[in-house]
Amino acid sequence: MHFMQSLKDAWRRNDSLVCVGLDPEPGRLPASIAGDADAIFAFCRDIVDATADLVCAYKPQIAHFAAQRAEDALERLIAHIHDRHPGVPVILDAKRGDIGSTARHYASEAFDRYKADAVTLNPYLGHDSIAPFLERADKGVILLCRTSNPGGKDFQALDCGGEPLYLRVAETIAREWNGNGNCALVTGATWPEELGKVRAVVGDMPLLVPGIGAQGGDLEAALRHGLTAAGDGLMISSSRAILYASGTSDFAQAARKATDELRQAVNRHRG
Amino acid sequence: MHFMQSLKDAWRRNDSLVCVGLDPEPGRLPASIAGDADAIFAFCRDIVDATADLVCAYKPQIAHFAAQRAEDALERLIAHIHDRHPGVPVILDAKRGDIGSTARHYASEAFDRYKADAVTLNPYLGHDSIAPFLERADKGVILLCRTSNPGGKDFQALDCGGEPLYLRVAETIAREWNGNGNCALVTGATWPEELGKVRAVVGDMPLLVPGIGAQGGDLEAALRHGLTAAGDGLMISSSRAILYASGTSDFAQAARKATDELRQAVNRHRG
C-alpha cells in the first residue's frame, strides 16, 4: 500500500488527523513496566494497541531507541503495528540526510530494515541526498521545512531573495522533488502563520505538524492556517502529552483518552 | 582527551591531514573476508590497523552499519580504535539533527553509546538542536556547511541578504555556537573557492573536507584555499579510494599505500 493512500484512508476511517509520536524515555516509563527486560517495546506496544483506531499514523523517533541500543525493539514495534493494525502507516522519525551514495544506505535502513512507510528527512544537502528516497514511490518522504523548535528561526527564517528559506525549501520540493507525489513537509504548530504560508505554496501536500502540547503550539491557529479545503491534509503530532498522560499502570488507557481528546479537539475545528 | 587536542596532536605526530572514512559496502568486501560472519568489523579493523600511523582521524559512516544491522560491529570498531590506537580520534559521521529534547538522545547515541570523539551534525534546525552536543566541551561538533555533493548548491548557495546561506551558517557557528571551542565544519573539496570563503570567516577552525577521489574534488585547490597559516586546519577525508584500493586479500596493504599516497600528496602542498 502506498503511504499517501494509507494516510488518506486512515484520516477517513478513523476520522482522525492525530499522529502519535512514539518517543520512549527510559526515565519516564511507568513502574509497572520499567522492570521488564523488554520495557521499551512493551510500553510502545501497549500505547499502540490502545490507540490504533484513533490515529492516522504512528511516528517512532529513532534516537530514543538508538540511545538505548534498542534497534531490535524498534523493528519489532513496527512489525507489530503492520501486523495488528494494518492500514495505519508508520513514519520513522529519523531526519536523515547525506550525499547520494550514503543516502541509499539510509533509505535501506528506513524502508528495508525497519519497513517504515515514510521517513522524515533533512533537506539541507539538496536533491541528490533525497533522490534514493523519492524514487521509492510507495514510500512517504517527509522533509523538514519550518521546524517547531526555538532554533528553527536561526536559518529557516533567513531572507533568501525576498522570501524566507523555509518557503524556498517548500517551493523547491513542491515543484521539483514531488514527481512521484510522495512528498510531505514538517511545519511546526508553533509558527501557525508560517504554516499557512507553506500551505499556500504546496497545495494539498500533507503537512506533519509537531509542536502541540509540550512545545506550546496553538492548535486552533495551526488548523486554521493548515487545513486543506477538504478539511484534512495534516498529521497533528503529539508525543509526550499522550505517552506520559499517566505515569502509572493505567498509562495505555490514559494515552487513549489523551489521544481521543486531541482527536476531538482537532475535529471541532474541521467543520 | 579533548577532540580538538587529539586532532592537533595527530596532525603533528603522524604528519598527516588524512581522515579515513570507514564506509563498508557489503557488495565490495574482498572475497577473502566476505564469508566471515563478522566481515564488516574485520574489514574495517584491518584497514584501521594498516593505516593508524598515517591518519589524523577515522570517520565511520553510521548508515553503512545501520543498513546491515551492524551497530554492534560499529561499537566494537570504535572500541578497537580507542584501545589499539589511542590518540587517533574517531568522528561518527551521522549528520544528525533534531529538536533539543531529541537531540539529547542523539548526543547520547554518539558519545555515550558509540564513544565517538566527534560527530557530524546538520545545522538546519538551529542552535537548540546542537546545544546538547556543544555543551560536551571535550567532544567535537562538526557541522555541515558547504557539502561536497551536486545538490549541495540547492539551498546552501541561496543568496541570503547578500551572501550565500553556507557562509551565514559558518559565521553563526563561528560567532555564536563555538563558546567551548569544539566546533568544526564540513566543506567539500568539490567547491574549493567556497571552502576559501569559509576559511576567511572561521579563522583556524578545523574543516572536514570530503569530496577528494570518487567525487572528483581538486585536492590542490582545496588545500590552497583551506590550509591555515600553520599549514594544517584540515581533515582531508577519503573513503572509497582507500577502502577499495584493492578488491582482493591485500586490501589492507593497498589501503595503507593509498592512504600514504594521499598523505604525501597533501604534504607536498603544505610547504
Side-chain angles (χ1 to χ4, degrees):
Chain A
M1 174 71 91
H2 282 222
F3 168 73
M4 288 296 174
Q5 192 59 51
S6 294
L7 176 65
K8 287 173 188 168
D9 290 351
W11 278 335
R12 195 175 308 114
R13 185 178 66 251
N14 291 343
D15 191 24
S16 178
L17 305 186
V18 175
C19 167
V20 172
L22 300 167
D23 304 3
E25 298 270 355
R28 299 185 72 178
L29 302 185
S32 60
I33 212 165
D36 188 331
D38 203 14
I40 289 178
F41 172 78
F43 175 72
C44 294
R45 176 203 60 205
D46 288 357
I47 298 274
V48 163
D49 289 345
T51 58
D53 59 327
L54 301 175
V55 306
C56 68
Y58 289 108
K59 181 175 73 64
Q61 203 296 315
I62 195 169
H64 290 76
F65 296 83
Q68 306 301 321
R69 287 191 179 83
E71 282 83 6
D72 178 66
L74 178 56
E75 286 186 31
R76 285 181 287 119
L77 175 63
I78 295 174
H80 176 85
I81 298 170
H82 290 329
D83 182 44
R84 301 295 177 85
H85 311 289
V88 180
V90 177
I91 299 163
L92 184 66
D93 192 3
K95 301 189 175 69
R96 302 303 196 224
D98 210 311
I99 65 170
S101 56
T102 296
R104 295 196 175 279
H105 292 279
Y106 279 125
S108 179
E109 178 192 29
F111 300 143
D112 302 327
R113 176 183 184 180
Y114 288 111
K115 304 196 184 333
D117 300 295
V119 65
T120 59
L121 299 174
N122 188 313
Y124 187 72
L125 284 96
H127 181 267
D128 68 287
S129 73
I130 309 299
F133 300 87
L134 296 172
E135 67 195 29
R136 301 282 288 258
D138 58 326
K139 302 293 188 181
V141 180
I142 306 178
L143 292 139
L144 299 181
C145 179
R146 181 66 173 98
T147 60
S148 57
N149 59 316
K153 69 178 184 317
D154 291 353
F155 302 121
Q156 297 161 27
L158 285 178
D159 182 87
C160 291
E163 60 181 9
L165 175 60
Y166 74 87
L167 271 189
R168 292 293 296 265
V169 168
E171 287 170 0
T172 299
I173 292 166
R175 288 183 193 159
E176 300 174 23
W177 296 11
N178 198 28
N180 283 331
N182 59 343
C183 291
L185 299 178
V186 177
T187 48
T190 42
W191 320 103
E193 293 185 13
E194 304 190 357
L195 200 162
K197 290 180 188 171
V198 172
R199 172 59 73 207
V201 304
V202 302
D204 289 345
M205 182 181 287
L207 305 179
L208 174 64
V209 182
I212 300 289
Q215 295 182 61
D218 179 340
L219 176 63
E220 188 278 332
L223 292 165
R224 181 158 36 88
H225 289 282
L227 286 168
T228 62
D232 53 30
L234 300 176
M235 296 168 270
I236 305 291
S237 181
S238 180
S239 303
R240 288 169 274 183
I242 289 173
L243 301 185
Y244 310 111
S246 155
T248 62
S249 60
D250 67 344
F251 69 92
Q253 281 310 305
R256 178 174 178 82
K257 183 162 174 284
T259 303
D260 203 36
E261 284 169 0
L262 177 58
R263 171 178 159 275
Q264 293 185 39
V266 170
N267 286 349
R268 277 194 291 278
H269 298 289
R270 291 172 69 190
Chain B
M1 174 72 88
H2 282 222
F3 168 73
M4 288 296 174
Q5 191 59 51
S6 295
L7 177 64
K8 286 173 189 169
D9 289 350
W11 278 335
R12 196 174 308 117
R13 186 179 63 251
N14 290 343
D15 190 25
S16 178
L17 304 185
V18 175
C19 168
V20 172
L22 298 168
D23 302 5
E25 298 271 356
R28 299 185 73 179
L29 302 185
S32 59
I33 211 165
D36 187 332
D38 203 14
I40 289 178
F41 172 78
F43 175 71
C44 294
R45 177 202 58 204
D46 288 357
I47 299 274
V48 163
D49 290 344
T51 57
D53 59 327
L54 301 175
V55 306
C56 68
Y58 288 107
K59 181 176 72 64
Q61 204 296 317
I62 194 168
H64 290 77
F65 295 83
Q68 305 301 321
R69 287 190 179 84
E71 282 84 5
D72 179 65
L74 178 55
E75 286 186 30
R76 287 181 286 118
L77 175 62
I78 295 174
H80 176 85
I81 298 171
H82 290 329
D83 182 43
R84 302 296 176 85
H85 310 290
V88 180
V90 176
I91 300 162
L92 184 67
D93 192 5
K95 300 188 176 69
R96 302 303 196 225
D98 209 311
I99 66 170
S101 56
T102 297
R104 294 194 177 281
H105 293 278
Y106 279 126
S108 180
E109 179 191 31
F111 300 142
D112 302 326
R113 177 182 184 180
Y114 288 112
K115 304 196 184 338
D117 300 294
V119 64
T120 59
L121 299 173
N122 188 314
Y124 186 73
L125 283 97
H127 181 266
D128 68 287
S129 73
I130 308 298
F133 300 89
L134 295 172
E135 66 195 31
R136 301 283 287 258
D138 58 326
K139 302 293 189 182
V141 179
I142 306 177
L143 293 140
L144 298 181
C145 178
R146 182 66 174 98
T147 61
S148 57
N149 59 316
K153 69 179 183 318
D154 292 354
F155 302 121
Q156 297 161 26
L158 285 178
D159 182 87
C160 292
E163 58 181 10
L165 175 60
Y166 73 87
L167 271 189
R168 292 293 294 263
V169 168
E171 287 170 0
T172 299
I173 293 166
R175 286 183 195 161
E176 300 173 23
W177 297 11
N178 198 28
N180 283 331
N182 59 342
C183 291
L185 299 177
V186 176
T187 48
T190 42
W191 321 102
E193 293 185 12
E194 304 190 357
L195 199 163
K197 290 179 187 172
V198 172
R199 172 59 73 205
V201 304
V202 302
D204 289 345
M205 183 181 286
L207 304 178
L208 174 64
V209 182
I212 300 289
Q215 295 182 60
D218 179 338
L219 176 63
E220 188 277 332
L223 293 166
R224 182 157 37 88
H225 289 282
L227 285 169
T228 62
D232 53 30
L234 300 176
M235 296 168 270
I236 303 293
S237 181
S238 179
S239 303
R240 288 169 274 183
I242 289 174
L243 301 184
Y244 310 111
S246 155
T248 61
S249 60
D250 66 345
F251 67 93
Q253 281 310 305
R256 179 175 177 82
K257 183 162 174 284
T259 302
D260 202 37
E261 284 170 359
L262 176 56
R263 172 177 159 276
Q264 293 185 36
V266 169
N267 287 348
R268 277 194 290 279
H269 297 291
R270 291 171 71 190

